[in-house]
Amino acid sequence: MLPTDIKDPGYFHKVVDCQFACPAHTPVPEYIRLIAAGRYGDAYMVNWKSNVFPGILGRTCDRPCEPACRRGRVEEQPVAICRLKRVAADYKGDIAERMPSPAATKNGKRIAVVGAGPSSLTVARDLAPLGYEITIFDENEKGGGMVRTQIPKFRLPEEVIDEEVGYVLGLGVETRFGERVNSLKSLLDDGYDAVFIGTGAPRGRDLAIPGRQEAAANIHLGIDWLSSVSFGHVTSIGKRVVVLGGGNTAMDCCRSARRMGGEDVKVVVRSGFKEMKASPWEKEDAMHEDIPILNFMVPKEFTHENNRLTGVVFETVHAVYDDKGRRQLVNNGEPDVHIPCDDVLLAVGQENAFPWIERDIGIAFDRWGMPVVNETTHSSTNEKVFFGGDAAFGPKNIIWAVAHGHQAAISIDRLCQGRAVEDRPAPAVSMASQKMGIHEWSYDNEVSNDHRFAVPHAEKTVALANIKTEVELGFDLKQALAEAQRCLNCDVQTVFSAPACIECDACVDICPEDCITFTADGEEADLRGRLNAPARNLSQDLYIASGLKTGRIMVKDEDVCLHCGMCAERCPTGAWDMQRFLFDMAQAGTACSKS
C-alpha cells in the first residue's frame, strides 16, 4: 500500500469524525476541551465562527455529529456534543466585545437577502464585515425565520433567538422586516449585485382524503398551526387530538397540543417506528409526555357530523420489501380503525412555493417546482441569484442551512470580486505537537470511563403547564465537565516518524486497542485481515508508514484509536508524537483558493 499522505487536509479531517460529519465542520473536540478548561466564552466563539447559532443549535440541532462520534464505537452512547454546545452558550458571559464591528467602510456592493432564517443570517454574518451592504427582507416583524415561528418555546426560548439573531443584525445590516417580496424581477431591477434566497419551505402538505373539506375547521396544517401558536393567535385546542406524520414537526405539534389543552393526544404514522424521520430523542420526549405513537396506520377518511370533525379512519398495514429493497405498504387484513378526535394536525411534509419568482428571468426549475441549484456554489441558473437552506434543496435542518449560507456567501463574494464562483477557497489546516515533557501533554489524555450523562429536565407537570416553560434545563458546570471528559480528543493525532523508529514494538505492547501493527506490506484487503486487531470498518482509512529499517510497514487502524497518547509516552526514540490537528473551514473573504 502507498504510505499515507498526512499533509492532505482531508486525511486527519476524516479521522475527526464528529467535525467531518457536521455540515458546518465545527471543530468539536476543540470547543469541548475549552469547556473542560472552564473557557466557556472561548468555546462559544469557536462555535460562533462556524455554526453562527450556538445557543439555538445547542437546543435544536439534529446532531449529525453524534452518530459519528468515536465514543459510540467503544460504548453505546456518544458524547453529548450538542448539549455541550449549549453549555458554551449558557455560561459564556458577556461576549459582545468579541463580536466583529460593522465594517468601517463599504465596498460598494449591495446584496439583497430574502428571508431572515438561519441560512440568510449566515450569509449576512459572513458578508457584512467585509463591507457589503446587506438588506434583509422578511414578512415577519422579527428575524429568525422558521427557527422563531415553528420551534416551540418550550424547546427554544425567545430570548435565545433574540440574542443570537441580534449578533448578526448588529453588524450594520439593514432590515426590512414586515415587508414581503412579491417579485424577484423587481428586486433585481433595483440594482442589487446579488440576491440570496433563504425563504425556507413555507408550505405544509395537505392530505386530500374524504372529509377533508367538510371538516376543514378542525384540520390544521402543522407548520401553520405552530406559527399561530408562536405568535399567540391560537391559545387552545380540543381535548382529543390526532397528529398525522412522523417527523420532528409532528413531534413539535403533539407536544405543543399537550400544552394547549390536549388531554388525549396521539401521533399516527404510516411507517414503522424506526423508519420515522423524527430524531430518536424527539420521539422519546413525546412519549415521556404520555403521547402514544401508533405506527403502520394509513389515514383513509376524516369523519364528521354537521361539518364538525369527529375522528379519523385508518387502514392498518405492514411493510413488504421487493428484491431491490423498495418498500410497499400492504393492508394486513384487519378491520379499519376509527380514532375519535376533536382536532387533527397535519405534519406529513413541507414543500416550497415560489409564486413570487418570475419564470422569465433566467432561473430554471425542476419538475417538482424547485430551483435548479448547484450543490457546491448554491448558484442558480441566473448568475446573480443564490439559494440556501430549505429553499434550495427541500427541508433539512438548521445546521445544514448554516452550511449552505457559508458556501453561498463565498460564491457571492467571488462573484462581486469578479472571480469564478467555482474556485473554492481551501480550508486552513495546522498541526502542532502537544508535547510538554517526556510524558506530559498539553491536553488531558486520560480516557474517562463515565457513561453519557442525562440532561436534566423540568418536572413533567411543570413543563406541561406552560408552553413557554423550557423542558431541558441544560447541564450544570459539574455535569458539563464530566461529560466533556468523555471526549476522546480525536483531533489530537498520533503522528509517526519511521526514521526515528527502532521497531522495538513498545507501542504495540502498550496500545489498549491493539490498533498498531508492524507487518509486511500487502494488498489492503489482505492487510486489514492480518492486523493485531482486524480492521473491518472500510470507511476509515489505515495510517500506513514505510521506510522502516526491516522493510516492514507500520499500520495503524484509525477506527479504534482512543488518542490516549500511550504509544508516544512509551516510545523510547520519539518516533510517535501527539499533534493537535485543526481544520478550519474557509469562509467568504478567504484569499487562498484551490489550484
Side-chain angles (χ1 to χ4, degrees):
M1 293 184 65
L2 293 175
T4 301
D5 179 12
I6 62 172
K7 293 182 179 179
D8 176 0
Y11 176 73
F12 281 136
H13 183 34
K14 195 174 179 181
V15 176
V16 191
D17 298 77
C18 50
Q19 183 180 19
F20 189 74
C22 173
H25 301 288
T26 302
V28 173
E30 175 77 0
Y31 80 73
I32 290 180
R33 272 195 304 274
L34 291 170
I35 289 171
R39 295 168 57 185
Y40 309 110
D42 291 339
Y44 185 88
M45 296 308 297
V46 167
N47 271 280
W48 189 81
K49 183 178 186 299
S50 62
N51 62 49
V52 187
F53 308 105
I56 293 171
L57 285 164
R59 292 164 166 84
T60 64
C61 188
D62 210 37
R63 317 179 197 178
C65 53
E66 292 190 13
C69 174
R70 192 175 296 272
R71 186 84 190 198
R73 301 182 193 179
V74 295
E75 64 179 65
E76 185 176 351
Q77 291 291 329
V79 175
I81 297 170
C82 179
R83 283 355 185 208
L84 286 174
K85 193 189 311 291
R86 174 178 171 173
V87 169
D90 285 353
Y91 297 100
K92 67 185 181 304
D94 185 0
I95 45 84
E97 294 298 321
R98 303 179 66 170
M99 290 293 166
S101 300
T105 57
K106 301 295 185 181
N107 64 13
K109 302 294 184 180
R110 298 170 61 236
I111 312 300
V113 176
V114 186
S119 189
S120 296
L121 291 170
T122 301
V123 170
R125 201 287 305 265
D126 287 1
L127 294 179
L130 303 179
Y132 289 91
E133 295 182 41
I134 310 294
T135 303
I136 302 179
F137 298 83
D138 196 284
E139 64 181 346
N140 293 315
E141 297 295 333
K142 298 179 79 173
M146 292 188 176
V147 168
R148 187 182 295 278
T149 62
Q150 287 165 22
I151 298 179
K153 299 302 178 283
F154 59 81
R155 289 182 57 208
L156 179 60
E158 188 94 9
E159 57 269 22
V160 177
I161 305 172
D162 288 343
E163 178 188 4
E164 297 196 323
V165 170
Y167 290 141
V168 178
L169 303 185
L171 297 174
V173 174
E174 178 188 358
T175 59
R176 291 169 66 171
F177 291 158
E179 184 173 337
R180 184 183 181 90
V181 175
N182 294 311
S183 168
L184 179 56
K185 185 176 187 300
S186 296
L187 208 57
L188 291 168
D189 289 344
D190 281 344
Y192 288 101
D193 295 282
V195 176
F196 176 80
I197 297 171
T199 49
R203 188 168 63 188
R205 288 183 183 152
D206 211 330
L207 195 58
I209 60 176
R212 173 66 179 93
Q213 297 305 314
E214 293 84 349
N218 295 96
I219 301 172
H220 320 279
L221 295 181
I223 62 169
D224 294 343
W225 184 80
L226 288 171
S227 294
S228 296
V229 171
S230 178
F231 289 122
H233 303 320
V234 170
T235 58
S236 64
I237 198 168
K239 291 184 178 181
R240 301 173 301 172
V241 181
V242 168
V243 178
L244 300 179
N248 286 337
T249 299
M251 300 302 105
D252 286 342
C253 284
C254 69
R255 297 180 69 197
S256 296
R258 283 283 281 128
R259 291 158 170 80
M260 301 293 287
E263 298 176 0
D264 177 11
V265 180
K266 296 181 175 70
V267 176
V268 187
V269 193
R270 294 168 55 94
S271 69
F273 187 81
K274 291 183 178 180
E275 292 74 42
M276 290 171 61
K277 292 183 179 180
S279 304
W281 50 91
E282 298 289 355
K283 294 186 285 188
E284 290 170 9
D285 287 344
M287 292 185 293
H288 175 70
E289 294 176 356
D290 306 318
I291 301 169
I293 297 175
L294 310 179
N295 296 96
F296 289 123
M297 298 176 68
V298 178
K300 290 179 62 177
E301 179 186 0
F302 297 113
T303 60
H304 52 90
E305 290 180 7
N306 300 320
N307 290 333
R308 184 166 185 83
L309 179 75
T310 58
V312 189
V313 176
F314 294 92
E315 175 187 11
T316 57
V317 298
H318 66 277
V320 175
Y321 296 87
D322 64 17
D323 55 0
K324 295 183 178 179
R326 292 174 298 196
R327 187 192 70 174
Q328 183 178 4
L329 297 177
V330 178
N331 187 296
N332 62 11
E334 297 178 3
D336 290 343
V337 175
H338 179 257
I339 299 180
C341 62
D342 304 306
D343 286 279
V344 168
L345 299 174
L346 297 177
V348 293
Q350 294 169 223
E351 54 193 11
N352 278 296
F354 298 104
W356 57 281
I357 298 181
E358 293 83 355
R359 296 311 192 255
D360 61 350
I361 57 174
I363 296 179
F365 287 82
D366 62 22
R367 60 192 176 111
W368 296 282
M370 291 289 290
V372 177
V373 179
N374 184 292
E375 292 189 8
T376 300
T377 65
H378 291 266
S379 54
S380 70
T381 49
N382 181 320
E383 67 171 6
K384 286 189 174 183
V385 180
F386 301 82
F387 288 80
D390 295 353
F393 307 111
K396 281 196 174 181
N397 51 59
I398 300 170
I399 192 62
W400 274 104
V402 170
H404 294 172
H406 284 314
Q407 294 305 314
I410 289 172
S411 297
I412 292 170
D413 182 43
R414 293 195 171 280
L415 174 74
C416 291
Q417 301 307 318
R419 305 178 69 177
V421 297
E422 297 83 7
D423 185 18
R424 313 305 286 178
V429 176
S430 63
M431 300 283 292
S433 176
Q434 301 302 288
K435 184 165 286 191
M436 300 285 287
I438 297 177
H439 299 300
E440 291 184 88
W441 309 100
S442 64
Y443 74 105
D444 185 357
N445 65 325
E446 184 176 353
V447 178
S448 167
N449 290 321
D450 287 331
H451 293 292
R452 179 172 170 133
F453 291 83
V455 178
H457 283 60
E459 289 289 338
K460 188 192 304 185
T461 54
V462 174
L464 293 177
N466 189 329
I467 197 164
K468 293 186 177 181
T469 297
E470 188 169 14
V471 177
E472 284 196 12
L473 304 179
F475 287 130
D476 62 28
L477 293 181
K478 183 178 179 180
Q479 293 168 318
L481 173 60
E483 184 63 34
Q485 296 285 29
R486 296 182 67 241
C487 177
L488 296 176
N489 297 292
C490 296
D491 60 339
V492 181
Q493 306 296 341
T494 48
V495 176
F496 180 73
S497 172
C501 179
I502 58 173
E503 300 184 63
C504 65
D505 280 358
C507 56
V508 176
D509 295 338
I510 198 67
C511 178
E513 294 295 312
D514 293 327
C515 62
I516 301 171
T517 305
F518 290 86
T519 186
D521 203 351
E523 297 293 333
E524 181 173 357
D526 167 63
L527 195 60
R528 282 181 175 271
R530 55 185 172 86
L531 302 181
N532 289 333
R536 297 186 175 90
N537 183 1
L538 302 182
S539 66
Q540 193 90 66
D541 294 337
L542 299 174
Y543 181 4
I544 307 291
S546 60
L548 295 168
K549 296 177 178 61
T550 62
R552 297 189 300 172
I553 60 172
M554 185 287 300
V555 186
K556 176 172 168 281
D557 181 7
E558 300 281 20
D559 186 50
V560 294
C561 176
L562 298 178
H563 300 253
C564 61
M566 294 180 71
C567 54
E569 289 185 17
R570 185 71 178 269
C571 180
T573 65
W576 287 102
D577 190 17
M578 304 304 296
Q579 296 187 15
R580 172 177 165 270
F581 168 81
L582 184 61
F583 184 95
D584 191 6
M585 281 295 293
Q587 294 182 1
T590 303
C592 182
S593 301
K594 294 179 181 178
S595 58

